[in-house]
Amino acid sequence: MNCQLVAKEWSTVSKKDQQMVLSANGCLFCNSSSNEAPEYNEFITHVHTGIKIHYFCLVLSSGLQQIYSPAESNTKHHPDHIYGFGIKDIIAEVRRAKKLRCSHCRATGASIGCIVKRCKKKMHYPCGQEKRALSRFYDTFGTWCEAHRPKPELYDQLPLYTPSVSVLKERRNGDYCEENDALALKVKQSDDEVHTCFACLEDLTPPFDEAKVLVSACCLRFYSHKVCLQRLVSHCIYLLLSTPLLLFINDS
């Protein structure tokens, strides 16, 4: 292990758990070593302990909480934590996840559970994304499975999106009148109009899935693949953090 400072928390971890960490080739949760942002975000190798983990797999794990202050949490290089998550807590979460099987791929390591209490679904982050789970990257960092993911009414009111089951039932029963829907009337799009992702410029083919294609809520005219938008945001943040002088423009 290439490290100059031995982590205090790492020294209290059992030899068995240390061997588990050092023998892993990929992420301790999802087992993948992919470094393809934004699907997984950053693939972290903690230099002080050898822990390998994806950033999204880390922050979305249901049994983890940041125990360090915001000022201390903005780093992956601290010997005793990774972005505010204590080393001992991460190891304990890995042990917990190894007892849980993913509801999709059936492999162990499913550290993410659906936020709905009555739901028993567990998942790896990549498996959840493939099956239309929705993760919230703020507040409690919760995740909804595909059956319980909330769907903004906005998408049910746009003709280019696949309507939800509830809207389909209303339409069959004659209770839903799209002509009276202000948002649907606002869009006024013809069937032969070509729509493109504003980030990658690829053509988009309706009906759209709101789990994969997003629309600008303000004007309802700009569409984007979800992953393209995530990639664009990640790239912009990287540029802002790596070139801080660009933020200070002399207007005089």
Side-chain angles (χ1 to χ4, degrees):
M1 179 168 46
N2 181 20
C3 61
Q4 297 176 345
L5 178 65
V6 177
K8 293 179 181 179
E9 288 203 6
W10 180 249
S11 64
T12 65
V13 174
S14 69
K15 295 294 183 181
K16 181 179 179 180
D17 286 339
Q18 288 186 11
Q19 184 59 36
M20 171 190 68
V21 168
L22 297 176
S23 62
N25 294 320
C27 173
L28 286 172
F29 290 122
C30 74
N31 296 318
S32 171
S33 58
S34 174
N35 196 26
E36 290 294 324
E39 287 80 1
Y40 299 84
N41 204 271
E42 180 184 11
F43 183 63
I44 302 164
T45 299
H46 191 235
V47 296
H48 302 287
T49 62
I51 288 176
K52 301 180 184 69
I53 201 166
H54 288 115
Y55 179 73
F56 284 172
C57 295
L58 174 68
V59 300
L60 293 172
S61 289
S62 301
L64 279 177
Q65 289 186 339
Q66 287 178 308
I67 59 174
Y68 290 80
S69 67
E72 295 177 292
S73 299
N74 193 28
T75 180
K76 61 182 177 182
H77 300 301
H78 192 282
D80 288 326
H81 70 82
I82 301 174
Y83 290 123
F85 297 94
I87 299 301
K88 290 175 64 176
D89 292 341
I90 294 174
I91 299 299
E93 179 69 351
V94 172
R95 288 200 305 266
R96 183 187 75 89
K98 284 188 175 296
K99 301 176 184 178
L100 303 173
R101 290 195 176 275
C102 177
S103 301
H104 305 298
C105 73
R106 306 306 301 167
T108 59
S111 63
I112 301 173
C114 179
I115 199 172
V116 177
K117 291 184 178 180
R118 67 179 183 275
C119 182
K120 302 301 182 182
K121 283 193 175 181
K122 306 290 188 295
M123 67 200 84
H124 304 104
Y125 174 74
C127 295
Q129 292 304 296
E130 184 179 344
K131 296 298 183 179
R132 303 182 71 254
L134 176 65
S135 295
R136 181 172 58 188
F137 290 92
Y138 64 93
D139 194 22
T140 58
F141 287 80
T143 295
W144 291 268
C145 71
E146 70 281 4
H148 296 118
R149 60 171 290 147
K151 181 177 182 179
E153 293 182 3
L154 167 71
Y155 291 103
D156 274 334
Q157 296 166 335
L158 296 177
L160 292 177
Y161 282 86
T162 302
S164 63
V165 174
S166 60
V167 170
L168 288 174
K169 288 181 179 179
E170 290 178 359
R171 287 176 177 173
R172 283 198 297 267
N173 296 333
D175 300 327
Y176 183 90
C177 183
E178 191 174 273
E179 292 182 357
N180 296 329
D181 195 318
L183 284 175
L185 292 174
K186 181 179 179 181
V187 178
K188 292 183 179 179
Q189 293 159 321
S190 60
D191 294 336
D192 58 351
E193 185 176 351
V194 177
H195 303 278
T196 59
C197 169
F198 75 83
C200 72
L201 302 181
E202 288 186 1
D203 289 346
L204 301 172
T205 304
F208 302 148
D209 180 353
E210 86 281 355
K212 298 179 179 180
V213 178
L214 306 180
V215 64
S216 57
C218 55
C219 64
L220 307 178
R221 294 190 60 82
F222 291 97
Y223 297 86
S224 172
H225 296 110
K226 179 182 177 181
V227 294
C228 291
L229 193 58
Q230 286 180 314
R231 185 178 293 112
L232 182 63
V233 170
S234 298
H235 183 64
C236 290
I237 292 175
Y238 172 78
L239 288 177
L240 288 175
L241 293 178
S242 60
T243 56
L245 291 178
L246 292 178
L247 299 178
F248 303 96
I249 301 175
N250 187 354
D251 294 329
S252 59

